[in-house]
Amino acid sequence: MGEKNQNVQEQDLNQLLKVRREKLANLVEAGKNPFEITKYNVTAHSMDIKNNYEEMKGQEVNVAGRIMSKRVMGKASFCNVQDLQGNIQSYVARDSIGEESYGFFKKYDVGDIVGIRGEVFETKTGEISIHASEVTLLSKSLQILPEKWHGLTNTDIRYRQRYTDLIMNEDVKKTFIMRSKIISSIRRFLDDRDFMEVETPMLVSNAGGAAARPFETHYNALDEDVKLRISLELYLKRLIVGGLERVYEIGRVFRNEGLDTRHNPEFTLMELYQAYTDYNGMMDLTEDMFRHVAQEVCGTTKITYGDVEIDMGKPFERITMVDAVKKYAGVDFDAVPDTEAAKKLADEKGVHYEDRHKKGDILNLFFQEFVEEKLIQPTFVMDHPIEISPLTKKKPDKPGYVERFELFITCREMCNAYSELNDPIDQRERFAAQEEAFAAGDEEANHTDEDFLNALEIGMPPTGGIGYGIDRLVMLLTNQPAIRDVLLFPTMKTLGGKDQ
């Protein structure tokens, strides 16, 4: 029975699609092919009209958008047009636009894009509308908009057809408008602090600066294998060496990893580097920036995420990784003498590790297992073990640890920052340790970058650096549960050999 109903629905849909194409053919035959129109002079948008009605009452305006609903009532009709800002109603009467134009208008479909010229007025029911004097068909929709798109449980279709999602879901459009505002706000914040925005290569011979597997491709012209960048770090540091004291880049990076609510293989990363400061300076800058962006974009420093209120107006908590593990797991790694003792503790606590892992790696595994899920309010976790921080300066008073922090909000890492390692001899030794880790099976280990080492030998000043996951910040400020909800076109598995 269900299959029979589906077949009937498909036949009905095919008939509707056929009718739309016939309507287009009729328009073309009548010399009114909408696809021959090249432009339309838009003078106003829906919400501007509604918000400024007293000033605009009686004015002639040109609006353009998609017909979202239509009621034909003999000699007069109403249609609702959606533009960038929202929706506005139009009153379309035969006597106002002419009999021929009205005849064509009556055959327009929901989904068609129209331009409407007319006077701004208010209906008897109090709805601000446009009394049309001219209606122009600008594009014919040959597909059917889904009637109950908002209620669809199949989010897969929404992600694949984001264009339809944006049409049917006002909240989705607002999220991506906010995303743009968030990035603009970040740029203003950094520009006001004399940071310089730069661009660095995406295709690289050595994808370093992070623990991740790269995508690999082949450059035909040079007959060389190259990789897509996994980080922005090593090129930006070269610019610090070159004397550009404050630099940042907002750009796509690519990591050959799985998909989940927090990860997409291509995502937006921002990294910045500032000469003559350290990770404490980066903490201050980060706290100021998050507070600034929240206030400017959301109008408040108290953000609701899910059912939790996140207060970015208060000073962010600062705690070392060792103290955090001690607080939440009851284990003091300062009292753990060596790797063997750390592995024994991990066995007792049921923390899985690999043979190659050392004490610092196991401390990090304890942090991931017992601490991350507790960090809801903004918290800087500082002073990571050296084993997981190959590009970071050692703490002078605690050489097994480095001057590094990660900011956690809603149990998610929002950024990662260092006092940058500028000792070329130490850096070469760290690269060597990474090469050994790669040989031992760590596919995410860094490889030695000789040109970067040469840059360090030229001389890099003391520098603070940081990387921000822009998508996660957007998720936080727009109250979205998954990274796909803040990426216009998230990575999707192809269907039937092609993306659909």
Side-chain angles (χ1 to χ4, degrees):
M1 186 71 177
E3 187 175 334
K4 185 178 179 182
N5 286 340
Q6 186 176 350
N7 289 337
V8 170
Q9 288 174 358
E10 287 178 1
Q11 289 172 7
D12 290 345
L13 179 61
N14 289 336
Q15 182 59 33
L16 289 171
L17 295 175
K18 183 181 176 185
V19 167
R20 290 199 175 206
R21 278 165 172 74
E22 289 172 353
K23 287 181 178 180
L24 175 61
N26 293 335
L27 286 165
V28 171
E29 191 177 335
K32 294 187 177 293
N33 183 354
F35 299 120
E36 291 182 350
I37 296 174
T38 58
K39 63 180 182 178
Y40 187 78
N41 181 31
V42 177
T43 63
H45 281 82
S46 57
M47 294 311 296
D48 291 336
I49 295 169
K50 291 181 178 181
N51 293 337
N52 300 284
Y53 173 69
E54 291 304 322
E55 298 170 33
M56 300 188 72
K57 181 180 179 181
Q59 282 188 24
E60 183 177 81
V61 295
N62 289 2
V63 299
R66 191 179 300 274
I67 297 174
M68 299 303 291
S69 64
K70 186 164 161 269
R71 285 181 293 136
V72 177
M73 302 175 294
K75 299 178 183 179
S77 302
F78 286 96
C79 70
N80 196 282
V81 173
Q82 178 175 291
D83 62 15
L84 173 68
Q85 295 181 352
N87 291 271
I88 192 161
Q89 178 177 268
S90 179
Y91 173 68
V92 184
R94 185 189 67 182
D95 293 346
S96 299
I97 70 169
E99 189 166 349
E100 183 188 31
S101 294
Y102 190 67
F104 282 111
F105 170 78
K106 287 197 294 183
K107 294 178 181 178
Y108 295 166
D109 293 303
V110 168
D112 289 351
I113 296 174
V114 295
I116 295 177
R117 175 181 295 174
E119 284 190 4
V120 176
F121 79 109
E122 189 173 357
T123 66
K124 292 177 182 178
T125 57
E127 184 165 356
I128 295 167
S129 307
I130 298 167
H131 189 148
S133 58
E134 181 182 79
V135 180
T136 306
L137 182 64
L138 303 174
S139 181
K140 181 68 187 168
S141 174
L142 300 179
Q143 279 286 354
I144 312 293
L145 288 177
E147 290 180 25
K148 297 180 180 177
W149 190 265
H150 196 84
L152 270 180
T153 54
N154 188 350
T155 53
D156 188 75
I157 298 176
R158 286 181 46 219
Y159 295 138
R160 291 182 191 279
Q161 297 182 19
R162 181 67 85 186
Y163 42 89
T164 315
D165 194 23
L166 289 165
I167 293 167
M168 302 306 296
N169 286 332
E170 185 66 24
D171 289 345
V172 171
K173 187 192 292 184
K174 286 178 181 176
T175 293
F176 289 105
I177 291 172
M178 275 192 73
R179 180 187 174 107
S180 179
K181 289 179 178 178
I182 288 164
I183 293 172
S184 295
S185 180
I186 290 169
R187 283 194 166 103
R188 278 192 296 275
F189 176 87
L190 293 175
D191 293 349
D192 287 347
R193 284 156 182 77
D194 298 323
F195 278 85
M196 175 180 172
E197 185 171 9
V198 297
E199 294 172 306
T200 62
M202 289 190 182
L203 286 174
V204 295
S205 57
N206 185 351
R213 283 192 298 169
F215 287 94
E216 299 179 1
T217 187
H218 186 75
Y219 190 179
N220 292 334
L222 298 180
D223 192 24
E224 288 182 1
D225 291 333
V226 291
K227 301 174 178 67
L228 288 169
R229 67 185 179 187
I230 60 173
S231 168
L232 313 174
E233 179 166 347
L234 300 185
Y235 281 97
L236 291 177
K237 284 182 178 177
R238 286 169 167 88
L239 299 181
I240 294 292
V241 170
L244 304 181
E245 294 183 359
R246 299 185 182 204
V247 294
Y248 76 96
E249 180 174 6
I250 300 173
R252 280 289 171 110
V253 297
F254 310 87
R255 298 184 181 180
N256 202 344
E257 59 191 15
L259 298 162
D260 60 31
T261 57
R262 303 184 191 187
H263 297 92
N264 194 74
E266 58 174 308
F267 62 97
T268 302
L269 183 64
M270 180 177 82
E271 292 196 30
L272 64 85
Y273 293 84
Q274 179 179 339
Y276 311 113
T277 190
D278 63 1
Y279 76 144
N280 291 301
M282 292 292 98
M283 268 186 265
D284 293 341
L285 181 144
T286 297
E287 189 166 337
D288 290 346
M289 188 180 80
F290 273 56
R291 198 168 286 140
H292 163 87
V293 174
Q295 183 65 53
E296 188 170 271
V297 177
C298 303
T300 177
T301 55
K302 291 185 177 179
I303 307 299
T304 299
Y305 188 80
D307 56 0
V308 178
E309 184 179 86
I310 305 299
D311 190 350
M312 289 197 277
K314 290 181 179 177
F316 294 7
E317 183 183 354
R318 302 186 182 194
I319 188 170
T320 67
M321 183 178 281
V322 168
D323 286 344
V325 169
K326 186 176 178 181
K327 178 178 178 180
Y328 293 108
V331 176
D332 183 0
F333 267 76
D334 278 344
V336 177
D338 52 31
T339 296
E340 187 179 345
K343 287 183 175 179
K344 186 177 178 184
L345 265 173
D347 291 336
E348 291 172 4
K349 293 283 189 177
V351 175
H352 175 72
Y353 58 87
E354 297 177 29
D355 288 342
R356 63 183 173 82
H357 283 153
K358 297 177 181 176
K359 175 186 167 182
D361 297 300
I362 293 170
L363 167 60
N364 186 50
L365 292 171
F366 267 73
F367 173 78
Q368 292 172 350
E369 182 74 25
F370 298 107
V371 182
E372 281 191 16
E373 64 184 19
K374 306 290 198 308
L375 304 179
I376 296 169
Q377 295 299 324
T379 305
F380 290 118
V381 176
M382 310 178 295
D383 302 350
H384 294 51
I386 194 168
E387 290 88 343
I388 62 167
S389 311
L391 299 165
T392 317
K393 270 195 174 181
K394 297 174 185 174
K395 288 183 69 65
D397 58 339
K398 206 172 183 182
Y401 295 86
V402 296
E403 293 191 350
R404 173 184 174 186
F405 73 80
E406 293 171 290
L407 172 62
F408 284 85
I409 307 176
T410 64
C411 315
R412 291 176 180 150
E413 176 203 334
M414 306 300 290
C415 65
N416 184 21
Y418 315 147
S419 295
E420 301 298 334
L421 181 61
N422 63 341
D423 178 345
I425 297 169
D426 189 355
Q427 181 64 80
R428 184 173 289 278
E429 291 171 356
R430 306 279 191 97
F431 275 140
Q434 287 286 297
E435 295 285 7
E436 287 178 15
F438 182 79
D442 184 356
E443 294 182 354
E444 297 185 347
N446 280 231
H447 293 283
T448 304
D449 187 327
E450 288 293 345
D451 182 70
F452 176 64
L453 287 169
N454 184 65
L456 289 188
E457 288 178 0
I458 295 290
M460 186 172 88
T463 298
I466 190 163
Y468 300 91
I470 295 297
D471 308 301
R472 292 186 183 180
L473 176 57
V474 175
M475 287 167 65
L476 176 69
L477 296 181
T478 59
N479 193 16
Q480 296 298 327
I483 193 169
R484 284 182 171 187
D485 295 315
V486 298
L487 296 175
L488 279 166
F489 300 102
T491 301
M492 305 291 289
K493 184 177 174 63
T494 55
L495 298 176
K498 65 178 182 176
D499 198 19
Q500 296 187 352

